[in-house]
Amino acid sequence: RGLQNFISDLRNAKSKTDESNRVAKELANIRAKFTNSQSLSSYQKKKYVWKLVYIFMLGYDVNFGHAEVVSLVGSAKYSEKQVGYVAMSLLLKAGDSMMNLVINSIRNDLVGSYDDAATSLALVSIANVSGIELMNALHVEVQRVLVSPNATPAVRKKAALCLLRLIRQLPDSIASKEFAEHIATLLQDRHLGVLTSTMSLLIGMASKHEMEYQTMIPYAIHILSSLVLKRACGADYLYYRTPSPWLQIKLLRFLQYYPDLMSSGQTYVPTLKQILARILNDTDVSDSINKSNADHAILFEAISTIVVFGDNGDVELQNAAMRLLGKFISVREPNIRYLGLMTMSRLATLHNASNKEQIKTYQSTVVVSLKDADISVRRRALDLLFVMCDSTNAESIVDELITYLVAADAGIREQMVLKIAVLAEKYALSKKWYVDTILKLISISGDQVSDSIWHRVIVIVTNNPEGDLQQYVAQTMFDVCSSKTAHPKAVAVGSYVLGEFGFLIAEEAGKSGDVQFKVLHQHWAVVDSATQGIMLTAFAKMSNLYAELQPVIGPIFMKLKTSVDIELQQRSNEYRILATLGPDVMEDILREMPAFDTEKVSTLEIALEQEHTETHDKNIFSKKKFENGDGGSAAPPARMVGNHAANRPPGPPPTEEPEPDLLGGFDEPEIAAVVPPPAPAPGSSHKAAVGISEDQIPAMRTSFAKLCGSPQGVLFQDPHVQVGVKSEYRGSQGRVQLFVGNVRVSFSTGLASHSYPLRLPVVATKFAEPLVVNKEAFMGRWTQLAGKEAQEIVATGIPGSPARMQSVVALLASLNLGRCPEVDNAASASGCGTYKTGAKDGQGKNISVGMLVRIEANGDKFRVTARTMHQTVSTGVKNVIVAALKTI
């Protein structure tokens, strides 16, 4: 009754303050009781631990009582053991020192107990806590429980799921080849619950070691045959007259790991074809929603299996699947229509001629779904239109998409624009039609047209000098840019085209070089600096071609020679000085751009393919690589004038280096390690290289930590050289400038080389934005993120004081973390922020990660805790704070 009264008191609290006071009073009482826990009865100990669990679930910190939890876990009484395991799963975290004390008790319950209830509690707790130390210590015992002939079905089910959780954290903890024999034995179990759990485990292991578990295919097909063909299933596992639909789905999903299965010639292939045909033919819409959902889940998994088998699969099955999907994409039920559209787009990627022709008959139906109220259905309809497009229907599909683009909402526009651009290039009726299509995209949805799209226009026009394409594009862009409301992307294309090919229309009436300049210059004030840079290059080329423009363009370069934009300043100065080098030099440098290097696949198709990256479950369908397209790749960025690329659009380079890990261990040996300078070659007259000495490491650490909270400062200094850093960050982007200068007026070292391996202060908190929340919101979110924290205790050797805590508060502010004063007391400081990333979510928006931080002082030590939705971010934030604390 004590627990019930306590809960009642909290529910009757009139304010948050009253609740907090009641909790604080109860915590003080429990702490006092636990000081002499030997005198507590079993009932009292369970009551107080239940109270701690309830307090923890309300979002309050519970940092004591762990010893009592451990003692309850090791108790011989089930009632005490149950309370202990529940409390352990909630109150103890991976890495806690008390976890080592409970491992022996858990091991005894796993292998030394004949009580199924105790064994089940142990298995569930291991899976919930899932700490690395716990897994390393107990994964062998979990395997023994799973394969034990004396284990009951209930225990085996839990053991299989527990082992699945373990191998996700420790993939190499199981010897795959040896354990395959045990899986084969489990698949012969007659209990469908054990089979279902075993299949979950098998899928998890096959996702990492497909070949080791290939021998399980006959067992999976045999079980499928019993469920689908013979309908052999106990009443307990019949779901609305459907035999164990969950097991059927898992079996089909396992088979998807082996796409060459149908062409293997094995004796079980005909049986598999019969199973798939039965699923396709017997599935129908039922009056019962639950039965219909179960049957259609199996059906779509079977169709996904047919798709994964690809061109090696059975053509009759593919055609039957296509006919079924044709019915599904026209039904009113949005869930079935969504799955039908998604699966048909997968099936359409197969090189089956009958599929290609059959799918075109559904074009009008798919266009209707493109206007559905549900954006997820619209996305799948867009995917299907994209894959069904070829040279015979490209014009009609592109026209339909452009027509719908006018009314499309922002959530799908960017994806539509990219796919229209790819289709227009890949199946272009003519180069002129392609250019007109891209210009329509810019006029309708210019903000969603990425740079890579209009870069492709530049590449294709430049690489095709034959015929009148360049003259046509110059004429078209002149007309577009003549409007004062032309979109900035159209102005960028027009600037490049008129700068390169404007001379082709300069003889026409009203299109002289002077008029072309005025048409472009009227947009100068409304375009961004990148477009202004392209316009400057166009102006330079115009001044070279049309002498009458030199007095007009020269002052523009002169005005921009001190521009705050470095790119505009450099271009204007280069072009201004270029005019003084003589007409021959100017003519040679500013002549027409050469053709761009061509690649097999355009950057647009590469960008589109990146949207369909493979998921964690490797059996899930991922789109195949697109066929090679024509045309060249976008040009690499460049600033140099003339033929080197002065007028080239700043496209992405053909290959990209992997992005650095900004969340790596802040205080790991990257800063501390002294890289030995290279030794001189034998017989060489060169002196040994000068590097970073051991005594400079502490100062480097301090400088680095200070720069984590400051936009500028000195990163490294020795008697010879000083390296300064200046940085600015905005959202997920940052810019870092290095300044290297000589400490002395004279710097001469003979033949010695200098090697200074320095790490830039680009850390997680640099990409954070401070956020201020109230206590209730902070503690609620803090509790939700309890399993994804990073924590470390820092010993500074300096006694704590109020002034020192003020320094900690200032530190959090310098690290872009907002203060949450309602959460803190005199010995703690809390911070909250948002970590901005460049990754995109399903709607194309940048992903942000919330960050919560608490720093608690105890004498000369600080406990730093960071919690976010991603463990990597938590670790990165914690490491930054820990290193910074050592410097205050």
Side-chain angles (χ1 to χ4, degrees):
R1 290 193 55 83
L3 177 61
Q4 294 178 357
N5 292 336
F6 174 62
I7 295 174
S8 178
D9 289 345
L10 294 182
R11 290 178 175 175
N12 295 329
K14 296 181 179 180
S15 65
K16 188 67 177 177
T17 303
D18 291 344
E19 178 186 293
S20 300
N21 292 337
R22 181 67 180 88
V23 168
K25 179 180 177 181
E26 192 63 37
L27 286 175
N29 177 57
I30 297 174
R31 191 188 296 271
K33 295 291 185 180
F34 280 172
T35 55
N36 188 18
S37 59
Q38 300 296 330
S39 61
L40 295 178
S41 65
S42 173
Y43 169 78
Q44 291 175 317
K45 188 178 293 186
K46 289 187 294 182
K47 178 181 69 173
Y48 293 136
V49 171
W50 275 127
K51 286 184 178 182
L52 290 179
V53 169
Y54 186 73
I55 291 171
F56 178 81
M57 292 173 63
L58 290 178
Y60 296 92
D61 281 340
V62 177
N63 51 14
F64 68 95
H66 297 160
E68 286 70 23
V69 171
V70 172
S71 67
L72 288 175
V73 171
S75 173
K77 297 180 180 179
Y78 175 75
S79 60
E80 295 183 0
K81 190 180 292 291
Q82 180 189 32
V83 177
Y85 273 117
V86 171
M88 184 195 78
S89 300
L90 292 174
L91 302 181
L92 294 183
K93 305 178 185 64
D96 283 353
S97 58
M98 297 296 294
M99 192 63 71
N100 294 327
L101 301 178
V102 81
I103 287 178
N104 287 333
S105 298
I106 299 176
R107 183 180 287 113
N108 291 334
D109 289 335
L110 287 177
V111 296
S113 173
Y114 296 99
D115 185 358
D116 287 351
T119 305
S120 298
L121 285 174
L123 291 169
V124 172
S125 298
I126 294 172
N128 286 336
V129 177
S130 65
I132 298 299
E133 297 84 358
L134 194 65
M135 294 178 182
N136 281 325
L138 298 174
H139 70 87
V140 175
E141 285 75 10
V142 175
Q143 295 178 50
R144 289 178 183 173
V145 173
L146 178 61
V147 301
S148 172
N150 300 322
T152 62
V155 172
R156 285 191 178 184
K157 289 191 294 183
K158 289 182 172 58
L161 297 178
C162 179
L163 192 58
L164 173 61
R165 183 67 180 269
L166 296 185
I167 64 172
R168 285 175 177 171
Q169 300 290 329
L170 296 174
D172 299 326
S173 60
I174 295 180
S176 299
K177 291 184 178 180
E178 292 76 4
F179 199 75
E181 299 177 2
H182 299 301
I183 294 293
T185 302
L186 291 169
L187 289 179
Q188 299 175 54
D189 198 301
R190 299 179 63 85
H191 195 283
L192 292 184
V194 174
L195 290 178
T196 304
S197 298
T198 302
M199 283 308 305
S200 297
L201 175 61
L202 178 57
I203 290 172
M205 294 190 293
S207 65
K208 298 176 174 60
H209 307 284
E210 294 96 336
M211 300 312 297
E212 281 79 354
Y213 296 98
Q214 191 171 4
T215 55
M216 302 298 108
I217 295 176
Y219 296 97
I221 295 178
H222 174 73
I223 299 170
L224 260 180
S225 175
S226 299
L227 294 173
V228 177
L229 302 180
K230 301 176 183 178
R231 300 185 63 85
C233 178
D236 291 342
Y237 287 88
L238 273 176
Y239 184 78
Y240 290 89
R241 302 188 304 279
T242 300
S244 190
W246 300 277
L247 179 56
Q248 290 189 50
I249 291 171
K250 291 180 184 296
L251 291 165
L252 290 168
R253 188 162 294 181
F254 168 70
L255 296 178
Q256 294 172 22
Y257 284 96
Y258 305 96
D260 299 328
L261 176 59
M262 291 296 246
S263 59
S264 62
Q266 297 293 332
T267 56
Y268 47 71
V269 172
T271 304
L272 178 58
K273 291 182 179 179
Q274 188 178 0
I275 292 170
L276 294 174
R278 176 70 64 85
I279 295 174
L280 294 179
N281 296 329
D282 290 359
T283 303
D284 200 357
V285 178
S286 172
D287 293 335
S288 171
I289 295 178
N290 292 327
K291 177 172 176 55
S292 182
N293 288 341
D295 291 345
H296 282 88
I298 298 172
L299 174 62
F300 280 110
E301 200 66 47
I303 296 177
S304 295
T305 305
I306 294 172
V307 174
V308 169
F309 290 158
D311 298 323
N312 296 324
D314 187 84
V315 177
E316 293 183 1
L317 290 175
Q318 294 174 12
N319 293 335
M322 183 63 72
R323 289 191 295 270
L324 270 176
L325 294 174
K327 297 178 182 179
F328 293 147
I329 64 174
S330 58
V331 301
R332 296 183 59 184
E333 171 59 37
N335 292 328
I336 294 179
R337 190 163 73 255
Y338 172 90
L339 291 172
L341 291 167
M342 180 180 65
T343 311
M344 184 178 280
S345 66
R346 297 174 177 179
L347 195 58
T349 58
L350 303 182
H351 297 88
N352 184 337
S354 60
N355 272 348
K356 293 290 185 181
E357 295 304 319
Q358 189 176 358
I359 197 173
K360 292 179 184 178
T361 62
Y362 303 110
Q363 180 175 329
S364 58
T365 305
V366 179
V367 170
V368 173
S369 294
L370 191 63
K371 303 170 185 177
D372 193 272
D374 190 336
I375 189 173
S376 59
V377 174
R378 297 200 298 271
R379 289 183 186 277
R380 298 291 77 81
L382 176 62
D383 290 341
L384 182 51
L385 282 173
F386 180 80
V387 297
M388 74 163 56
C389 185
D390 60 18
S391 57
T392 63
N393 60 1
E395 185 176 8
S396 62
I397 288 180
V398 169
D399 288 344
E400 286 281 2
L401 291 176
I402 290 179
T403 301
Y404 174 66
L405 181 62
V406 177
D409 57 89
I412 197 174
R413 274 196 167 205
E414 186 173 354
Q415 189 180 15
M416 284 190 69
V417 167
L418 180 58
K419 291 190 173 181
I420 292 172
V422 171
L423 293 178
E425 179 184 348
K426 194 172 184 180
Y427 303 109
L429 305 176
S430 67
K431 296 295 189 296
K432 294 180 181 179
W433 177 80
Y434 166 69
V435 172
D436 290 340
T437 301
I438 299 302
L439 291 180
K440 287 181 183 178
L441 291 180
I442 293 176
S443 63
I444 295 173
S445 186
D447 293 339
Q448 280 74 41
V449 175
S450 64
D451 289 344
S452 59
I453 292 177
W454 66 264
H455 289 176
R456 289 295 298 168
V457 176
I458 300 300
V459 170
I460 291 175
V461 173
T462 304
N463 287 7
N464 290 273
E466 304 85 3
D468 62 344
L469 175 63
Q470 294 177 346
Q471 182 178 353
Y472 172 80
V473 175
Q475 172 69 60
T476 303
M477 296 314 305
F478 177 85
D479 295 338
V480 171
C481 293
S482 295
S483 171
K484 293 184 178 180
T485 59
H487 194 277
K489 296 286 177 66
V491 176
V493 178
S495 299
Y496 186 96
V497 169
L498 293 179
E500 288 292 322
F501 313 116
F503 67 92
L504 297 175
I505 62 172
E507 300 300 326
E508 300 180 16
K511 298 174 185 176
S512 64
D514 181 50
V515 177
Q516 291 181 32
F517 168 76
K518 292 179 180 178
V519 164
L520 293 180
H521 192 261
Q522 67 177 338
H523 301 289
W524 177 268
V526 296
V527 297
D528 58 18
S529 59
T531 304
Q532 288 176 345
I534 299 175
M535 292 175 71
L536 285 179
T537 304
F539 294 163
K541 295 204 170 191
M542 287 180 177
S543 67
N544 179 49
L545 292 173
Y546 316 111
E548 66 272 16
L549 286 178
Q550 292 179 2
V552 180
I553 295 176
I556 295 177
F557 294 152
M558 182 65 67
K559 181 179 180 181
L560 294 172
K561 70 177 185 178
T562 58
S563 172
V564 295
D565 188 288
I566 300 300
E567 181 70 18
L568 297 181
Q569 181 187 122
Q570 180 165 345
R571 288 198 183 210
S572 60
N573 279 291
E574 288 177 350
Y575 298 145
R576 182 175 56 83
I577 296 173
L578 186 62
T580 66
L581 300 180
D584 294 337
V585 176
M586 196 168 181
E587 177 71 25
D588 182 60
I589 293 179
L590 294 178
R591 63 190 180 190
E592 291 182 47
M593 289 287 294
F596 294 98
D597 295 334
T598 58
E599 290 186 353
K600 293 183 177 181
V601 182
S602 77
T603 53
L604 296 186
E605 295 186 73
I606 294 174
L608 186 60
E609 190 175 3
Q610 289 174 349
E611 294 184 1
H612 305 287
T613 54
E614 196 172 278
T615 59
H616 178 71
D617 293 331
K618 293 196 295 182
N619 62 296
I620 301 299
F621 180 87
S622 61
K623 292 190 177 295
K624 297 181 179 180
K625 294 185 179 294
F626 296 96
E627 297 177 1
N628 294 340
D630 60 342
S633 64
R639 293 187 295 101
M640 300 302 294
V641 298
N643 293 337
H644 293 287
N647 208 15
R648 187 170 297 187
T655 58
E656 297 181 356
E657 294 294 330
E659 294 185 0
D661 179 13
L662 301 179
L663 303 176
F666 177 86
D667 53 352
E668 292 184 357
E670 296 178 16
I671 306 173
V674 177
V675 179
S684 172
S685 60
H686 292 268
K687 300 177 182 178
V690 179
I692 299 175
S693 60
E694 291 282 358
D695 57 354
Q696 291 173 314
I697 301 300
M700 288 176 61
R701 285 185 176 275
T702 303
S703 299
F704 190 99
K706 289 181 178 179
L707 283 170
C708 288
S710 174
Q712 60 185 10
V714 176
L715 177 64
F716 172 77
Q717 180 172 336
D718 71 357
H720 301 289
V721 68
Q722 182 185 73
V723 180
V725 173
K726 184 177 181 180
S727 61
E728 58 178 328
Y729 294 84
R730 184 175 300 171
S732 62
Q733 297 179 332
R735 181 169 64 182
V736 179
Q737 294 176 288
L738 287 180
F739 301 91
V740 182
N742 299 344
V743 175
R744 300 172 180 173
V745 176
S746 174
F747 189 94
S748 176
T749 60
L751 296 176
S753 62
H754 290 251
S755 175
Y756 299 101
L758 303 176
R759 182 181 178 184
L760 296 179
V762 182
V763 292
T765 54
K766 289 288 189 179
F767 301 90
E769 292 183 359
L771 185 66
V772 178
V773 297
N774 58 32
K775 181 178 180 181
E776 183 176 355
F778 184 95
M779 295 307 301
R781 189 61 175 161
W782 184 265
T783 303
Q784 294 175 4
L785 298 174
K788 298 180 179 180
E789 71 175 18
Q791 189 177 93
E792 185 172 339
I793 296 177
V794 184
T796 61
I798 303 175
S801 64
R804 191 161 175 76
M805 284 307 300
Q806 289 298 320
S807 300
V808 173
V809 172
L811 171 65
L812 290 178
S814 69
L815 296 178
N816 299 321
L817 294 170
R819 179 76 191 284
C820 303
E822 297 178 5
V823 182
D824 301 327
N825 53 38
S828 67
S830 301
C832 183
T834 304
Y835 177 68
K836 300 292 186 178
T837 77
K840 304 290 186 182
D841 60 13
Q843 297 182 350
K845 299 179 180 179
N846 285 6
I847 297 175
S848 299
V849 180
M851 305 186 305
L852 300 180
V853 172
R854 295 200 70 184
I855 303 176
E856 299 163 285
N858 185 7
D860 65 339
K861 298 179 180 179
F862 290 103
R863 180 171 67 181
V864 180
T865 307
R867 294 184 180 181
T868 72
M869 282 294 294
H870 298 272
Q871 185 64 46
T872 307
V873 180
S874 301
T875 303
V877 173
K878 182 266 296 181
N879 289 341
V880 174
I881 297 174
V882 167
L885 280 174
K886 297 177 181 178
T887 64
I888 65 173

